[in-house]
Amino acid sequence: MIPYIREIEFEYGRCDQVSPLIRRVIARNPGPFTYTGTGVYIVGSGEVAVIDPGPEIAEHLDALLAALKGERVTHILVTHHHLDHSPLARPLADLTGATIYGRPAPSDPGEASRGPEGAGLEEGADGRFRPDVELVDGQVLSGPGWTLDAITTPGHTSNHVCFGLKEENALFCGDHIMGWSTTVITPPDGDMGDYFASLDKVKARGFDTLWPTHGAPIREVTPFVDAYIAHRRAREAQILDALAAGHGQIKAMVPVLYAAVDPRLHPAAAMSVLAHIQQLVREGRVVCDGAADLDAGYRLP
């Protein structure tokens, strides 16, 4: 069982010092995919980096500018291109002269990822997101007293990047790992095989703290990531059991597999099941009758 961390002390718009090098401002955009809202991290003092500036909300921009008053923003870092993470990057850069770092939105993320509605699957994609500097794995960014390295972590999206803070052995993990919930994997841009590999990659680094964009920090990192992986493997086993019982379509599996989950999240859950099944098909553990999509029929070999 995942040891979720759902308690978080905050006020919208307030800038909280959450560690010696990190401050946080939370946007007022709560929801089923954002929890209490987008947590924007400010790293350093004087010359700072801003991570995941969040949605274009005037109140939120004002709060960020107040938190940054008297300082120089040198870096704006974006973990991925969803509407709750990246849209404010360009307006903030225009106001501060900062450089935007990240990986560009995919040219064709698929129908499921487009628009704020996105069939109710996600907060929606910022398909126009293009950083000033396209990051590569291991790229180092630094300022006075702080050092960040880019860790490419595809899975939730193909362009997802986490950022390691050397001085505190901490990771800004975006939506790759969240303390309050599991992460949605939405094909075709999301990929379950990539996601498992990225979880292993983060675990191998041995971070002391994870700072998700939504929710509270994760302090017991290795047990939490192990539980995240075990949860995904258990879901995989449940899907195989459902197929063995003759449930050959995703729409028949979701109400059973996700009976305890908010029904508003069932469309997203269906996409995660699809992501699992697509990986199982690639591994030869499941057979697909036709294209591996939400409407296909599946069976064991």
Side-chain angles (χ1 to χ4, degrees):
M1 181 178 294
I2 298 173
Y4 289 122
I5 305 159
R6 294 188 169 123
E7 296 297 320
I8 179 170
E9 178 64 31
F10 77 101
E11 290 180 12
Y12 288 118
R14 186 179 72 192
C15 184
D16 291 323
Q17 189 83 42
V18 293
S19 85
L21 283 175
I22 304 168
R23 288 168 282 163
R24 183 185 62 207
V25 177
I26 296 182
R28 197 188 300 269
N29 63 328
F33 297 103
T34 58
Y35 197 40
T36 60
T38 298
V40 182
Y41 295 107
I42 301 167
V43 181
S45 62
E47 294 185 7
V48 305
V50 174
I51 300 176
D52 278 349
E56 280 198 80
I57 299 173
E59 169 194 72
H60 175 53
L61 176 58
D62 289 344
L64 274 182
L65 292 174
L68 296 163
K69 187 175 181 179
E71 296 184 295
R72 179 177 171 229
V73 181
T74 56
H75 299 68
I76 296 172
L77 312 181
V78 176
T79 62
H80 64 296
H81 68 291
H82 282 164
L83 288 173
D84 51 322
H85 292 253
S86 62
L88 200 61
R90 185 59 61 191
L92 185 62
D94 290 343
L95 288 168
T96 62
T99 300
I100 301 172
Y101 298 82
R103 294 180 65 80
S107 57
D108 184 8
E111 291 296 333
S113 301
R114 291 197 184 107
E117 298 81 17
L121 303 179
E122 272 285 4
E123 284 303 293
D126 178 8
R128 298 174 300 173
F129 175 68
R130 298 292 183 273
D132 299 318
V133 176
E134 183 173 343
L135 293 170
V136 297
D137 191 54
Q139 189 166 343
V140 176
L141 309 167
S142 62
W146 54 267
T147 311
L148 294 160
D149 70 302
I151 304 167
T152 53
T153 48
H156 175 61
T157 63
S158 60
N159 67 335
H160 199 286
V161 186
C162 296
F163 299 98
L165 178 58
K166 177 182 177 181
E167 288 77 7
E168 295 188 2
N169 194 32
L171 183 73
F172 300 98
C173 53
D175 285 356
H176 181 55
I177 301 168
M178 299 186 292
W180 70 282
S181 175
T182 54
T183 297
V184 174
I185 312 297
T186 304
D189 190 42
D191 183 278
M192 191 62 70
D194 287 346
Y195 187 63
F196 275 122
S198 293
L199 286 174
D200 288 338
K201 186 177 184 179
V202 166
K203 180 183 172 183
R205 287 286 298 265
F207 291 105
D208 291 328
T209 306
L210 303 182
W211 293 97
T213 299
H214 308 289
I218 298 160
R219 306 288 188 184
E220 300 293 331
V221 175
T222 296
F224 196 93
V225 177
D226 282 343
Y228 236 55
I229 294 169
H231 170 82
R232 289 291 182 185
R233 292 302 182 192
R235 186 70 75 200
E236 189 177 81
Q238 290 174 334
I239 290 167
L240 293 171
D241 287 345
L243 290 169
H247 302 297
Q249 289 195 305
I250 291 172
K251 64 183 179 182
M253 297 181 196
V254 169
V256 176
L257 298 181
Y258 292 86
V261 172
D262 184 340
R264 293 179 297 171
L265 300 180
H266 281 191
M271 296 305 291
S272 276
V273 171
L274 175 61
H276 273 293
I277 288 181
Q278 287 178 340
Q279 181 62 20
L280 290 167
V281 169
R282 285 194 290 265
E283 294 172 355
R285 299 165 67 191
V286 170
V287 174
C288 174
D289 297 328
D293 58 28
L294 285 173
D295 298 318
Y298 299 96
R299 54 188 169 80
L300 299 178

